[in-house]
Every structure is written in C-alpha cells, then in structure tokens.
Amino acid sequence: MLPLLKGIRVVEVGAVVLGPYAGQILADLGAEVIKVEPLEGDIARHAHPQGAGGGALFVNNNRNKRMLAIDLKRPEGQAALAKLLGTADVLFHNMRLDAAERLGLGPDAVAAINPRIIHCSATGFGRGGRYRDRPAFDDIIQAASGLAGLGALQAGTPQFVPTIVADKVAALHAVYGILAALVSRERGGEGPFRVEVPMFEAMVAFLMNEHLSAATFAEEGAPGYPRLLSPDRRPFRTADGWIAVLPYTEAQWRRFVEEIGRSDVVMQPWFAAPQTRQAHVGELYAILAQSLTARTTDAWIAALEAIDVPCSRIAMPADLLTDPHLAEIGFFDVPDGFPEGVRRALPQPVQFPGIATTGDLPPHALGADNRAVLADCGYDNAAIDALIAAGVIAS
C-alpha cells in the first residue's frame, strides 16, 4: 500500500467488480476507502470458488478497505451514511441512477450534505441518452459497444472476450476521473465536483480508438482496423505448440522473411511503404502461419529473439502461476497478515520507485469496521448498539 492519497477518505458503494476494483486501486494508493455493503454483503463475497476471506472475486478486489454493512433502505441507515458522507472526500457508486436517487445518493442530495465531496457514478449508459435506464452487465456492454461484434468481423461469429473487460475499463476511467477532480478541488476549483462514467460510452471510446479507422475521414468509410481484423492475425501453430509473432516495422519484417528464406517478399513493390505493406498484411500473416510449423516453439523463440522480432509463447492462465519473470518479482506473493488459506494474491502493478510502501491489508469480514467507522462519524456506543438491535447495521 502506498501513501500517495493519505488523508483522502473515499466511500465506495460498489458491488461485484466495477466499484470494488476502482475502490481497491484508490486504497492501494493510500486512500482510506470505506466499502458500504448491504447486510447480506456484496454478492461477490458468496461467489464460487470460496476460500479464506470469501469468494475469490471478492478477495481479489477488496484489499486495503474498511467495511461497513448497513441497510440503506432504512431511514436510519441513510442518516448514518449521510453522516459518513459529511466526512468524506469522494463518493463512488456503480448503481443505476434511479436506485442511487432513492437511497439519497444522487449528486444533488450528496452535494447538499457535503459541497466539497467528489461524486462519481459509474452506470451502464450515460444519462443524456435513451439508454440511460437500461440495466447493464459486462456481457451486455461487450455486445452493445461492438466488442463482441469485432469477433464476427475477424472470425465470422460474434464472441465475448473471456474477461470482465467492460467493468474493469470503466473502473480505470473512474479512477482517473476521481483523481483529476481531486487535483482540481485541491487547486481551488469551485465545482460542482461530479464525475460520470458510463460503461457503454467508455467501451465505445476504448474500442473505436483504432477501429474508427476510415470512418474518421469519410461518411462512407467503414470502421475497422484492417491489421487487427485479418483472419490470419491469430496465435500461430508451431511444430509442438503455439506462438505469437508480430513483426511490425519494415526492418522486423525484413529480418523475419530473411530468417525463413523468403527474401523474395522484400522485392515486392508493396513491401517498402507502410501504407502498401499494411494493405497486404493478410499475405504477410499467411506467410507467417505457413512457416512457423517448421520449428518447435522453443526454437522459434530463440531464433526470433536473436533477430529482435517481437514474439511470445502462448501462455495459458495456469502457466502464469509458474512464470519465471512473475516469480522473480514476487507477483503472486501473499502479504503478511492475509488468512492462511490464501495461497496467492495480486499486487498493485503501477510502481512508484523511491516511495516507501506498507503491507497490504486483507479484505475484512462483513461489517467488521461498523463500530469504528460510525464512531468516527460521531455515534456513541449506545447509538451504535441501537442500530444493531434495530437491524440497521450488521452486528
């Protein structure tokens, strides 16, 4: 855990991946992140597979946080959260807009409690369009944003990417939005300090960065970045496995075709110029595919590294657990203090050389910090006991 955001209090009303992933990044950077859960807990706590500390999805997205379990549907719960928001620098939620309004977490209601708070909401679709009230999950956004459709352009059928990519992309947008708002506020900005992160729009911007392509310049231009959509851009078979190879520059392609004895390719009139070489990228990929079956993966790695052509063997997720580079940097090491049943943990990958860090804290049990957090907000023991007795907060 880093000290960069020390003194910043973030209230995260998030569930599953989007909210918790963003909150964890802020917590890793040193913010005091208070995760607000319903009395039954974030559903990721109960997701399969289960182990020490709950579901793996929960364990991997909720380190370094304090946990408050409270019934926000009760007026007493909303009053307690309002007191907490009065002490906070940031509120971040990933609820639908109407649900947030019902719970008193709309931007106007929160600003009335704390005018300096940064209100960040991550929703499925932006509030300005006709989709604003649609429910959204990762698969829905992959479908609506064009990500699944890219598979059809390349391979003939739509395909989902097998990772929760829309949630995580939106979470990263939320983090930089919150940090930018914090900088503005600390430099005297007057607000209102509101950040809105719609998953749909975030993914469209993310994908169309390169795939807007010819449509950037012409009404009739077809979207799609040709090199990425070539059916021959894929993992390639070797004599004993699979490999990724990406000659990109003219020099890299030249060295590669010379390595495989195809110097005739260099003599083609389209080879020298990037634009014409790009137009023939399918032919180049076909040459790649045909040649790579002649040697083993290890032989190709050695040969391609020797001529400085980018390459990698195709790693399966299980291979990462024994990857020598990750082992050397202690990537999956479990911090001190984590439950004994946790065999591997994930680090904050962004490094800040020269800045001292402290050990990460494991995800806390549901409601573990109820008393401490509410005491910070001015509740005495009797008032906290009364909330427990009334079933407003977890015991």
Side-chain angles (χ1 to χ4, degrees):
M1 187 161 53
L2 292 146
L4 300 172
L5 295 180
K6 186 177 180 179
I8 299 296
R9 173 174 280 186
V10 178
V11 176
E12 173 212 309
V13 188
V16 191
V17 172
L18 198 168
Y21 184 51
Q24 179 172 268
I25 293 171
L26 296 170
D28 288 347
L29 296 176
E32 178 198 11
V33 176
I34 300 172
K35 179 182 178 70
V36 178
E37 300 178 76
L39 297 184
E40 64 273 18
D42 183 339
I43 61 174
R45 281 188 182 271
H46 315 294
H48 181 76
Q50 287 283 311
L57 192 63
F58 185 86
V59 170
N60 291 329
N61 286 285
N62 288 284
R63 64 175 172 260
N64 294 327
K65 301 178 185 178
R66 304 172 78 187
M67 304 296 182
L68 177 64
I70 189 167
D71 185 353
L72 292 181
K73 296 179 181 178
R74 300 273 294 274
E76 306 97 316
Q78 292 182 21
L81 182 59
K83 286 193 175 184
L84 177 60
L85 293 176
T87 72
D89 296 283
V90 179
L91 166 67
F92 176 52
H93 75 77
N94 64 311
M95 293 183 288
R96 291 167 70 173
L97 295 173
D98 57 348
E101 293 287 350
R102 286 197 303 271
L103 297 177
L105 296 178
D108 293 334
V110 172
I113 296 167
N114 182 349
R116 281 179 51 79
I117 199 169
I118 291 159
H119 183 285
C120 180
S121 60
T123 58
F125 303 89
R127 70 171 66 238
R130 64 183 63 193
Y131 301 161
R132 58 160 282 163
D133 295 320
R134 289 184 179 181
F137 294 94
D138 199 86
D139 287 0
I140 303 305
I141 299 301
Q142 287 200 36
S145 68
L147 177 57
L150 287 174
L153 292 180
Q154 184 189 51
T157 58
Q159 301 174 33
F160 290 131
V161 175
T163 185
I164 307 173
V165 63
D167 275 45
K168 289 182 283 189
V169 166
L172 293 172
H173 280 68
V175 169
Y176 80 67
I178 288 169
L179 295 177
L182 280 169
V183 170
S184 175
R185 191 190 71 175
E186 296 308 303
R187 290 183 172 178
E190 297 181 358
F193 303 105
R194 297 179 183 177
V195 181
E196 296 183 356
V197 183
M199 295 171 68
F200 174 59
E201 287 92 321
M203 279 301 294
V204 171
F206 183 78
L207 295 173
M208 296 299 277
N209 179 279
E210 73 275 23
H211 285 295
L212 193 57
S213 194
T216 303
F217 304 110
E219 286 293 328
E220 67 276 11
Y225 190 55
R227 181 181 70 81
L228 300 181
L229 296 177
S230 168
D232 291 307
R233 177 190 176 260
R234 64 186 191 277
F236 298 110
R237 280 195 177 275
T238 64
D240 64 348
W242 298 86
I243 193 172
V245 182
L246 183 59
Y248 196 78
T249 66
E250 177 188 351
Q252 289 168 351
W253 275 113
R254 184 183 297 273
R255 292 195 296 271
F256 177 78
V257 296
E258 289 173 352
E259 172 70 23
I260 64 173
R262 288 295 308 274
S263 298
D264 59 293
V265 175
V266 177
M267 306 307 295
Q268 297 299 316
W270 48 262
F271 182 83
Q275 295 88 347
T276 53
R277 191 169 61 251
Q278 177 71 26
H280 290 263
V281 71
E283 296 173 49
L284 291 170
Y285 281 145
I287 292 169
L288 263 176
Q290 293 162 9
S291 62
L292 291 171
T293 57
R295 307 182 199 175
T296 65
T297 300
D298 285 345
W300 276 120
I301 294 290
L304 294 170
E305 287 182 347
I307 61 173
D308 196 26
V309 170
C311 63
S312 174
R313 66 183 70 251
I314 302 298
M316 299 301 288
D319 296 328
L320 300 178
L321 305 182
T322 56
D323 180 275
H325 173 87
L326 296 178
E328 288 168 2
I329 65 174
F331 188 85
F332 291 112
D333 288 356
V334 178
D336 293 340
F338 271 56
E340 288 186 11
V342 177
R343 299 289 302 278
R344 296 179 182 86
L346 297 172
Q348 169 55 247
V350 179
Q351 302 296 308
F352 296 86
I355 295 180
T357 64
T358 56
D360 288 329
L361 302 176
H364 291 182
L366 178 64
D369 302 294
N370 279 355
R371 285 190 175 275
V373 170
L374 292 179
D376 286 349
C377 298
Y379 284 82
D380 60 24
N381 283 333
I384 295 171
D385 289 339
L387 290 173
I388 294 172
V392 177
I393 63 171
S395 58

